[in-house]
């Protein structure tokens, strides 16, 4: 009998047909199946080989997707909220040429890590990150992060700067002194809940017309794959049940912190540009900083093309 390759066997063993646990991130088994279909599609579309590993932590089992040369310098790739590891490998695709990328699915968020709520406690994400590094035997790593993942990177940096090398923060959480919660709930959450509960959006002549409208505060240029996933997250998951770590300020970081490359979006609805940038300049030593002048919170592919070249140069030592 033919056996599946180890990485496919590992994927096929993850809770696809099991009952949903109590307080699952998924609203139904059908919703979980839809998320897993899109997860698998992302993996299938990646132009490079991906390996998988499950790491035990005190917060739950963590599913890792890894790409690149196992002997190359490691980079921990930390995701945005509700974004799984393979999507982050796709986002930071250029880096796998010269590095080993390690992209976890966040516990309690869509993906193959343990489906239990992650505790909203100070230093929990930092400790979780340290447990992953310890299990993999990594004394020091680079970090590439986006949005929610930026706050995890910053918490790890504050707790254990000796474990963090170079890091890239793309539109990071964790540096905004006061999140605009009222604006976020009024401008995003209300519309998202309406999209979830009123199914007439599916009957429109132009698919996702309403979804594109309510996504505009986050992004002006979503691809078809982006829209498919955004639709699944809103309709099938308990989105926004976790909070990013932080906010962090200058006093949270040691003087030995490695200079960072940070990228901000000038029209960021989630992490307002002016206050976030001012705090970042005071809090972190910067190797380089970039501002995407026309970008909302989720940069377009066109926005990121020059940024990816600069990110690669930063990690490869050209900056």
């Amino acid at each position: 009998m033919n056996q599946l390759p180890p990485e496919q066997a590992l994927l096929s063993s993850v809770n696809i047909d099991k009952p949903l646990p109590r307080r699952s991130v998924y609203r139904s088994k059908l919703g979980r199946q839809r998320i897993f279909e899109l997860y698998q599609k992302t993996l299938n579309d990646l132009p490079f080989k991906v390996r998988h590993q499950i790491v035990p932590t005190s917060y739950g089992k963590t599913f890792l997707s890894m790409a690149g040369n196992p002997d190359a310098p490691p980079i921990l790739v930390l995701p945005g909220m509700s974004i799984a590891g393979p999507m982050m490998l796709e986002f930071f695709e250029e880096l796998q040429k010269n590095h080993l990328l390690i992209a976890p699915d966040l516990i309690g968020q869509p993906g193959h890590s343990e489906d239990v709520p992650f505790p909203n406690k100070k230093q929990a994400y930092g400790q979780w990150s340290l447990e992953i590094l310890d299990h993999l035997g990594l004394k020091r790593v680079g970090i590439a992060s986006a949005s929610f993942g930026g706050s995890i990177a910053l918490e790890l940096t504050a707790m254990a700067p000796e474990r963090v090398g170079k890091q890239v923060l793309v539109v990071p959480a964790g540096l905004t002194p006061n999140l605009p919660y009222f604006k976020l709930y009024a401008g995003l959450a209300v519309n998202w809940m309406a999209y979830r509960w009123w199914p007439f959006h599916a009957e429109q002549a132009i698919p996702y017309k309403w979804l594109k409208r309510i996504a505009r505060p986050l992004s002006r240029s979503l691809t078809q794959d982006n829209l498919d996933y955004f639709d699944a997250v809103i309709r099938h998951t308990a989105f926004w049940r976790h909070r990013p770590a932080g906010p962090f300020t200058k006093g949270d970081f040691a003087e030995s912190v490695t200079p960072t490359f940070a990228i901000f979006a000038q029209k960021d609805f989630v992490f307002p540009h002016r206050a976030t940038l001012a705090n970042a300049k005071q809090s972190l030593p910067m190797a380089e900083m970039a501002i995407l002048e026309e970008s909302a919170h989720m940069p377009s592919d066109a926005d990121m093309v020059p940024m990816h070249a600069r990110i690669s140069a930063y990690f490869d030592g050209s900056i």
Side-chain angles (χ1 to χ4, degrees), residues 30-279:
L30 182 63
R32 181 175 62 188
Q33 179 181 341
R34 176 58 176 159
I35 292 286
F36 284 3
E37 287 172 354
L38 296 171
Y39 187 109
Q40 187 62 50
K41 181 180 186 304
T42 300
L43 278 174
N44 293 344
D45 290 345
L46 291 174
F48 47 82
K49 183 177 180 180
V50 178
R51 304 174 296 283
H52 303 287
Q53 184 174 345
I54 293 177
V55 171
T57 76
S58 59
Y59 300 95
K61 294 179 181 178
T62 300
F63 190 89
L64 306 178
S65 296
M66 296 174 285
N69 182 350
D71 299 320
I75 294 177
L76 182 65
V77 181
L78 295 171
M81 187 171 65
S82 298
I83 304 299
M87 297 167 190
M88 296 304 296
L89 293 181
E90 180 181 40
F91 186 75
F92 288 113
E93 177 179 341
E94 287 295 314
L95 293 178
Q96 61 85 33
K97 296 175 182 177
N98 296 320
H99 299 270
L100 170 64
L101 302 187
I102 304 165
D105 296 349
L106 296 181
I107 291 172
Q109 298 196 28
H112 291 315
S113 287
E114 194 149 343
D115 186 7
V116 294
F118 197 87
N120 289 317
K121 295 180 181 179
K122 187 176 182 180
Q123 298 191 334
Y125 275 114
Q127 183 60 43
W128 168 78
S129 304
L130 285 172
E131 291 182 27
I132 292 173
L133 299 186
D134 289 343
H135 186 88
L136 297 176
L138 298 174
K139 294 182 178 180
R140 187 176 172 90
V141 295
I143 298 179
S145 64
S147 192
F148 192 100
S151 74
I152 302 174
L154 291 167
E155 186 160 77
L156 177 59
T157 302
M159 290 175 60
E162 73 281 0
R163 306 293 294 271
V164 178
K166 292 183 175 182
Q167 66 173 308
V168 165
L169 302 164
V170 181
V171 293
L175 289 171
T176 306
N178 296 292
L179 286 176
Y181 283 112
F182 178 80
K183 185 171 73 171
L184 290 174
Y185 284 114
L188 294 179
V190 171
N191 287 328
W192 288 23
M193 292 304 293
Y195 183 87
R196 170 187 288 179
W197 292 108
W198 278 273
F200 61 82
H201 60 81
E203 301 170 4
Q204 295 183 33
I206 303 175
Y208 294 151
K209 182 178 179 180
W210 187 14
L211 182 61
K212 290 178 182 178
R213 185 180 302 122
I214 67 174
R216 278 190 64 80
L218 294 180
S219 178
R220 314 294 165 78
S221 56
L222 294 172
T223 67
Q224 185 63 48
D225 285 344
N226 295 155
L227 289 166
D228 288 340
Y229 190 72
F230 201 174
D231 171 79
V233 165
I234 293 176
R235 293 200 291 123
H236 298 303
T237 74
F239 54 81
W240 286 357
R241 69 175 180 176
H242 296 304
R243 297 289 181 268
F248 300 94
T249 60
K250 182 178 181 178
D252 294 313
F253 301 108
E255 293 183 1
S256 60
V257 169
T258 302
T260 297
F261 180 16
I263 299 171
F264 303 94
Q266 195 168 52
K267 298 180 179 179
D268 197 325
F269 183 83
V270 184
F271 307 123
H273 167 71
R274 188 170 299 174
T276 304
L277 181 62
N279 184 38

